[in-house]
Tab-separated table of all heavy atoms in Angstrom:
chain	number	residue	atom	x	y	z
A	112	ASN	N	48.350	-58.683	-56.309
A	112	ASN	CA	47.348	-58.900	-55.262
A	112	ASN	C	46.339	-57.761	-55.165
A	112	ASN	O	45.299	-57.905	-54.540
A	112	ASN	CB	48.028	-59.115	-53.911
A	112	ASN	CG	48.736	-60.465	-53.856
A	112	ASN	OD1	48.443	-61.353	-54.644
A	112	ASN	ND2	49.659	-60.609	-52.933
A	113	LYS	N	46.670	-56.641	-55.777
A	113	LYS	CA	45.747	-55.496	-55.781
A	113	LYS	C	44.853	-55.476	-57.033
A	113	LYS	O	43.965	-54.636	-57.148
A	113	LYS	CB	46.543	-54.198	-55.691
A	113	LYS	CG	47.320	-54.067	-54.381
A	113	LYS	CD	47.844	-52.688	-54.186
A	113	LYS	CE	48.538	-52.447	-52.858
A	113	LYS	NZ	49.020	-53.533	-52.089
A	114	PHE	N	45.077	-56.399	-57.966
A	114	PHE	CA	44.323	-56.397	-59.225
A	114	PHE	C	42.805	-56.504	-59.030
A	114	PHE	O	42.051	-55.794	-59.701
A	114	PHE	CB	44.833	-57.477	-60.167
A	114	PHE	CG	46.129	-57.131	-60.856
A	114	PHE	CD1	46.791	-55.928	-60.615
A	114	PHE	CD2	46.700	-58.001	-61.760
A	114	PHE	CE1	47.980	-55.603	-61.243
A	114	PHE	CE2	47.884	-57.691	-62.408
A	114	PHE	CZ	48.530	-56.492	-62.149
A	115	PRO	N	42.297	-57.362	-58.109
A	115	PRO	CA	40.836	-57.387	-57.917
A	115	PRO	C	40.287	-56.065	-57.383
A	115	PRO	O	39.178	-55.661	-57.739
A	115	PRO	CB	40.632	-58.521	-56.905
A	115	PRO	CG	41.820	-59.392	-57.076
A	115	PRO	CD	42.955	-58.464	-57.388
A	116	ILE	N	41.063	-55.375	-56.544
A	116	ILE	CA	40.637	-54.070	-56.025
A	116	ILE	C	40.586	-53.052	-57.158
A	116	ILE	O	39.625	-52.281	-57.280
A	116	ILE	CB	41.584	-53.592	-54.897
A	116	ILE	CG1	41.467	-54.525	-53.695
A	116	ILE	CG2	41.271	-52.151	-54.494
A	116	ILE	CD1	42.512	-54.315	-52.630
A	117	ILE	N	41.612	-53.072	-58.011
A	117	ILE	CA	41.649	-52.158	-59.164
A	117	ILE	C	40.470	-52.450	-60.096
A	117	ILE	O	39.793	-51.534	-60.566
A	117	ILE	CB	42.991	-52.260	-59.914
A	117	ILE	CG1	44.137	-51.807	-59.003
A	117	ILE	CG2	42.972	-51.433	-61.199
A	117	ILE	CD1	45.522	-52.155	-59.512
A	118	ALA	N	40.201	-53.748	-60.324
A	118	ALA	CA	39.060	-54.140	-61.168
A	118	ALA	C	37.751	-53.652	-60.551
A	118	ALA	O	36.856	-53.177	-61.258
A	118	ALA	CB	39.031	-55.655	-61.353
A	119	GLY	N	37.639	-53.742	-59.220
A	119	GLY	CA	36.444	-53.250	-58.530
A	119	GLY	C	36.263	-51.750	-58.698
A	119	GLY	O	35.151	-51.279	-58.920
A	120	LEU	N	37.360	-51.017	-58.617
A	120	LEU	CA	37.295	-49.564	-58.820
A	120	LEU	C	36.857	-49.231	-60.240
A	120	LEU	O	36.044	-48.330	-60.455
A	120	LEU	CB	38.650	-48.919	-58.521
A	120	LEU	CG	39.052	-48.875	-57.035
A	120	LEU	CD1	40.486	-48.387	-56.888
A	120	LEU	CD2	38.099	-47.987	-56.250
A	121	ILE	N	37.393	-49.980	-61.211
A	121	ILE	CA	36.987	-49.768	-62.613
A	121	ILE	C	35.485	-50.014	-62.762
A	121	ILE	O	34.772	-49.240	-63.403
A	121	ILE	CB	37.788	-50.686	-63.566
A	121	ILE	CG1	39.258	-50.259	-63.605
A	121	ILE	CG2	37.197	-50.670	-64.982
A	121	ILE	CD1	40.177	-51.248	-64.306
A	122	PHE	N	34.995	-51.092	-62.138
A	122	PHE	CA	33.568	-51.419	-62.219
A	122	PHE	C	32.712	-50.318	-61.596
A	122	PHE	O	31.721	-49.873	-62.184
A	122	PHE	CB	33.290	-52.762	-61.535
A	122	PHE	CG	31.826	-53.102	-61.485
A	122	PHE	CD1	31.164	-53.543	-62.624
A	122	PHE	CD2	31.106	-52.947	-60.310
A	122	PHE	CE1	29.808	-53.832	-62.591
A	122	PHE	CE2	29.748	-53.235	-60.264
A	122	PHE	CZ	29.107	-53.677	-61.412
A	123	VAL	N	33.075	-49.861	-60.395
A	123	VAL	CA	32.301	-48.830	-59.699
A	123	VAL	C	32.295	-47.527	-60.497
A	123	VAL	O	31.244	-46.886	-60.666
A	123	VAL	CB	32.839	-48.603	-58.266
A	123	VAL	CG1	32.233	-47.360	-57.636
A	123	VAL	CG2	32.558	-49.827	-57.396
A	124	ILE	N	33.457	-47.138	-61.020
A	124	ILE	CA	33.548	-45.909	-61.823
A	124	ILE	C	32.665	-46.025	-63.064
A	124	ILE	O	31.955	-45.081	-63.436
A	124	ILE	CB	35.016	-45.605	-62.200
A	124	ILE	CG1	35.794	-45.166	-60.951
A	124	ILE	CG2	35.103	-44.538	-63.290
A	124	ILE	CD1	37.300	-45.136	-61.120
A	125	THR	N	32.678	-47.192	-63.695
A	125	THR	CA	31.843	-47.409	-64.885
A	125	THR	C	30.362	-47.332	-64.534
A	125	THR	O	29.570	-46.713	-65.258
A	125	THR	CB	32.171	-48.772	-65.533
A	125	THR	OG1	33.570	-48.833	-65.805
A	125	THR	CG2	31.404	-48.983	-66.822
A	126	ALA	N	29.971	-47.952	-63.420
A	126	ALA	CA	28.565	-47.937	-62.995
A	126	ALA	C	28.101	-46.507	-62.696
A	126	ALA	O	27.036	-46.080	-63.154
A	126	ALA	CB	28.372	-48.822	-61.761
A	127	VAL	N	28.911	-45.766	-61.954
A	127	VAL	CA	28.559	-44.387	-61.610
A	127	VAL	C	28.486	-43.529	-62.872
A	127	VAL	O	27.566	-42.715	-63.043
A	127	VAL	CB	29.572	-43.802	-60.595
A	127	VAL	CG1	29.394	-42.296	-60.439
A	127	VAL	CG2	29.440	-44.503	-59.252
A	128	THR	N	29.433	-43.733	-63.786
A	128	THR	CA	29.454	-42.968	-65.035
A	128	THR	C	28.211	-43.251	-65.869
A	128	THR	O	27.591	-42.324	-66.416
A	128	THR	CB	30.723	-43.286	-65.858
A	128	THR	OG1	31.871	-43.005	-65.065
A	128	THR	CG2	30.779	-42.472	-67.139
A	129	ALA	N	27.814	-44.529	-65.982
A	129	ALA	CA	26.637	-44.900	-66.778
A	129	ALA	C	25.369	-44.270	-66.218
A	129	ALA	O	24.538	-43.726	-66.965
A	129	ALA	CB	26.499	-46.421	-66.838
A	130	VAL	N	25.214	-44.321	-64.889
A	130	VAL	CA	24.025	-43.728	-64.258
A	130	VAL	C	24.040	-42.211	-64.424
A	130	VAL	O	23.038	-41.603	-64.823
A	130	VAL	CB	23.959	-44.110	-62.760
A	130	VAL	CG1	22.843	-43.346	-62.056
A	130	VAL	CG2	23.740	-45.610	-62.603
A	131	ALA	N	25.192	-41.590	-64.128
A	131	ALA	CA	25.301	-40.129	-64.212
A	131	ALA	C	25.080	-39.642	-65.641
A	131	ALA	O	24.391	-38.639	-65.867
A	131	ALA	CB	26.676	-39.675	-63.704
A	132	TYR	N	25.625	-40.357	-66.617
A	132	TYR	CA	25.476	-39.957	-68.020
A	132	TYR	C	24.010	-39.955	-68.440
A	132	TYR	O	23.515	-38.984	-69.024
A	132	TYR	CB	26.289	-40.889	-68.920
A	132	TYR	CG	26.260	-40.498	-70.371
A	132	TYR	CD1	27.153	-39.563	-70.869
A	132	TYR	CD2	25.332	-41.061	-71.251
A	132	TYR	CE1	27.123	-39.182	-72.212
A	132	TYR	CE2	25.291	-40.693	-72.582
A	132	TYR	CZ	26.193	-39.762	-73.060
A	132	TYR	OH	26.150	-39.384	-74.383
A	133	SER	N	23.310	-41.051	-68.122
A	133	SER	CA	21.898	-41.132	-68.531
A	133	SER	C	21.052	-40.087	-67.802
A	133	SER	O	20.112	-39.539	-68.368
A	133	SER	CB	21.344	-42.539	-68.290
A	133	SER	OG	21.300	-42.822	-66.913
A	134	TRP	N	21.402	-39.791	-66.571
A	134	TRP	CA	20.654	-38.818	-65.787
A	134	TRP	C	20.924	-37.401	-66.293
A	134	TRP	O	19.995	-36.635	-66.554
A	134	TRP	CB	21.050	-38.958	-64.319
A	134	TRP	CG	20.191	-38.183	-63.363
A	134	TRP	CD1	18.839	-38.015	-63.417
A	134	TRP	CD2	20.640	-37.479	-62.217
A	134	TRP	NE1	18.416	-37.251	-62.355
A	134	TRP	CE2	19.504	-36.904	-61.596
A	134	TRP	CE3	21.881	-37.277	-61.632
A	134	TRP	CZ2	19.580	-36.142	-60.443
A	134	TRP	CZ3	21.958	-36.527	-60.469
A	134	TRP	CH2	20.819	-35.963	-59.896
A	135	LEU	N	22.213	-37.056	-66.451
A	135	LEU	CA	22.575	-35.694	-66.875
A	135	LEU	C	22.147	-35.396	-68.316
A	135	LEU	O	21.806	-34.270	-68.644
A	135	LEU	CB	24.082	-35.468	-66.716
A	135	LEU	CG	24.586	-35.471	-65.269
A	135	LEU	CD1	26.102	-35.452	-65.227
A	135	LEU	CD2	24.002	-34.304	-64.487
A	136	LYS	N	22.171	-36.427	-69.175
A	136	LYS	CA	21.763	-36.235	-70.572
A	136	LYS	C	20.242	-36.294	-70.743
A	136	LYS	O	19.727	-36.096	-71.836
A	136	LYS	CB	22.412	-37.298	-71.461
A	136	LYS	CG	23.890	-37.070	-71.711
A	136	LYS	CD	24.067	-35.983	-72.727
A	136	LYS	CE	25.507	-35.853	-73.162
A	136	LYS	NZ	25.680	-34.819	-74.171
A	137	GLY	N	19.542	-36.608	-69.667
A	137	GLY	CA	18.082	-36.672	-69.746
A	137	GLY	C	17.579	-37.921	-70.447
A	137	GLY	O	16.421	-37.988	-70.865
A	138	ILE	N	18.443	-38.936	-70.582
A	138	ILE	CA	18.036	-40.189	-71.229
A	138	ILE	C	17.110	-40.973	-70.300
A	138	ILE	O	16.121	-41.551	-70.717
A	138	ILE	CB	19.271	-41.035	-71.609
A	138	ILE	CG1	20.146	-40.272	-72.610
A	138	ILE	CG2	18.867	-42.387	-72.172
A	138	ILE	CD1	21.512	-40.892	-72.834
A	139	TYR	N	17.482	-40.979	-69.018
A	139	TYR	CA	16.666	-41.704	-68.043
A	139	TYR	C	16.967	-41.160	-66.657
A	139	TYR	O	18.118	-40.874	-66.339
A	139	TYR	CB	16.981	-43.208	-68.093
A	139	TYR	CG	15.878	-44.069	-67.527
A	139	TYR	CD1	14.839	-44.497	-68.334
A	139	TYR	CD2	15.874	-44.435	-66.188
A	139	TYR	CE1	13.816	-45.280	-67.818
A	139	TYR	CE2	14.856	-45.214	-65.662
A	139	TYR	CZ	13.828	-45.633	-66.490
A	139	TYR	OH	12.814	-46.402	-65.979
A	140	LYS	N	15.934	-41.039	-65.824
A	140	LYS	CA	16.158	-40.571	-64.457
A	140	LYS	C	16.725	-41.712	-63.605
A	140	LYS	O	16.625	-42.883	-63.965
A	140	LYS	CB	14.867	-40.042	-63.848
A	140	LYS	CG	13.776	-41.092	-63.678
A	140	LYS	CD	12.538	-40.436	-63.085
A	140	LYS	CE	11.331	-41.281	-62.956
A	140	LYS	NZ	11.352	-42.629	-62.719
A	141	TYR	N	17.311	-41.346	-62.478
A	141	TYR	CA	17.884	-42.366	-61.589
A	141	TYR	C	16.767	-43.251	-61.052
A	141	TYR	O	15.777	-42.759	-60.520
A	141	TYR	CB	18.647	-41.702	-60.441
A	141	TYR	CG	19.317	-42.701	-59.547
A	141	TYR	CD1	20.346	-43.499	-60.027
A	141	TYR	CD2	18.900	-42.889	-58.235
A	141	TYR	CE1	20.959	-44.440	-59.213
A	141	TYR	CE2	19.508	-43.824	-57.415
A	141	TYR	CZ	20.530	-44.589	-57.915
A	141	TYR	OH	21.134	-45.531	-57.111
A	142	ASP	N	16.926	-44.549	-61.210
A	142	ASP	CA	15.889	-45.496	-60.835
A	142	ASP	C	16.550	-46.790	-60.378
A	142	ASP	O	17.264	-47.430	-61.155
A	142	ASP	CB	14.994	-45.754	-62.053
A	142	ASP	CG	13.792	-46.617	-61.731
A	142	ASP	OD1	13.728	-47.179	-60.621
A	142	ASP	OD2	12.916	-46.733	-62.599
A	143	LEU	N	16.333	-47.171	-59.140
A	143	LEU	CA	16.961	-48.385	-58.592
A	143	LEU	C	16.431	-49.660	-59.234
A	143	LEU	O	17.021	-50.721	-59.079
A	143	LEU	CB	16.749	-48.452	-57.070
A	143	LEU	CG	17.525	-47.437	-56.237
A	143	LEU	CD1	17.148	-47.569	-54.765
A	143	LEU	CD2	19.018	-47.615	-56.415
A	144	ARG	N	15.314	-49.559	-59.963
A	144	ARG	CA	14.763	-50.760	-60.609
A	144	ARG	C	15.589	-51.197	-61.811
A	144	ARG	O	15.561	-52.360	-62.194
A	144	ARG	CB	13.317	-50.530	-61.030
A	144	ARG	CG	12.363	-50.422	-59.840
A	144	ARG	CD	10.987	-50.068	-60.286
A	144	ARG	NE	11.022	-48.722	-60.885
A	144	ARG	CZ	9.982	-48.111	-61.409
A	144	ARG	NH1	8.817	-48.708	-61.441
A	144	ARG	NH2	10.103	-46.908	-61.917
A	145	LEU	N	16.305	-50.250	-62.417
A	145	LEU	CA	17.136	-50.581	-63.578
A	145	LEU	C	18.418	-51.267	-63.123
A	145	LEU	O	19.008	-50.886	-62.116
A	145	LEU	CB	17.502	-49.310	-64.350
A	145	LEU	CG	16.745	-49.086	-65.667
A	145	LEU	CD1	15.265	-48.986	-65.413
A	145	LEU	CD2	17.270	-47.862	-66.360
A	146	SER	N	18.846	-52.265	-63.871
A	146	SER	CA	20.114	-52.917	-63.559
A	146	SER	C	21.266	-52.088	-64.127
A	146	SER	O	21.065	-51.207	-64.965
A	146	SER	CB	20.144	-54.326	-64.174
A	146	SER	OG	20.184	-54.241	-65.584
A	147	PHE	N	22.457	-52.408	-63.684
A	147	PHE	CA	23.666	-51.781	-64.241
A	147	PHE	C	23.683	-51.972	-65.761
A	147	PHE	O	23.949	-51.043	-66.518
A	147	PHE	CB	24.909	-52.408	-63.594
A	147	PHE	CG	26.181	-52.131	-64.328
A	147	PHE	CD1	26.777	-50.880	-64.281
A	147	PHE	CD2	26.795	-53.129	-65.078
A	147	PHE	CE1	27.957	-50.617	-64.961
A	147	PHE	CE2	27.970	-52.880	-65.749
A	147	PHE	CZ	28.558	-51.620	-65.698
A	148	SER	N	23.379	-53.175	-66.200
A	148	SER	CA	23.390	-53.501	-67.632
A	148	SER	C	22.399	-52.656	-68.418
A	148	SER	O	22.678	-52.240	-69.546
A	148	SER	CB	23.066	-54.978	-67.838
A	148	SER	OG	23.978	-55.778	-67.133
A	149	GLU	N	21.227	-52.404	-67.838
A	149	GLU	CA	20.223	-51.592	-68.529
A	149	GLU	C	20.677	-50.140	-68.642
A	149	GLU	O	20.464	-49.494	-69.666
A	149	GLU	CB	18.876	-51.685	-67.793
A	149	GLU	CG	18.220	-53.046	-67.977
A	149	GLU	CD	17.015	-53.250	-67.088
A	149	GLU	OE1	17.087	-52.916	-65.888
A	149	GLU	OE2	15.997	-53.752	-67.601
A	150	TYR	N	21.325	-49.628	-67.591
A	150	TYR	CA	21.877	-48.272	-67.675
A	150	TYR	C	22.925	-48.194	-68.775
A	150	TYR	O	22.957	-47.247	-69.560
A	150	TYR	CB	22.491	-47.843	-66.338
A	150	TYR	CG	21.510	-47.155	-65.431
A	150	TYR	CD1	21.078	-47.764	-64.261
A	150	TYR	CD2	21.018	-45.894	-65.732
A	150	TYR	CE1	20.172	-47.140	-63.425
A	150	TYR	CE2	20.104	-45.255	-64.906
A	150	TYR	CZ	19.693	-45.879	-63.750
A	150	TYR	OH	18.791	-45.250	-62.932
A	151	VAL	N	23.800	-49.193	-68.823
A	151	VAL	CA	24.856	-49.229	-69.845
A	151	VAL	C	24.231	-49.267	-71.238
A	151	VAL	O	24.699	-48.595	-72.158
A	151	VAL	CB	25.788	-50.440	-69.618
A	151	VAL	CG1	26.644	-50.721	-70.843
A	151	VAL	CG2	26.671	-50.218	-68.394
């Protein structure tokens, strides 16, 4: 019954990691116009 919550945490961690990676590596600045998929 906790599997959807765990899946949600995995998704959020992945989203934050993708944004942080592109920002810290100078690939792209943080921009709300980009989708999660575009950051990935």
Side-chain angles (χ1 to χ4, degrees):
N112 289 341
K113 296 192 176 19
F114 283 1
I116 294 170
I117 296 167
L120 288 172
I121 292 169
F122 175 75
V123 169
I124 290 167
T125 305
V127 169
T128 303
V130 172
Y132 184 86
S133 66
W134 190 39
L135 294 171
K136 286 283 188 179
I138 298 168
Y139 201 88
K140 64 181 175 32
Y141 183 65
D142 186 350
L143 289 176
R144 291 175 295 179
L145 255 60
S146 68
F147 164 74
S148 303
E149 288 171 315
Y150 270 111
V151 165

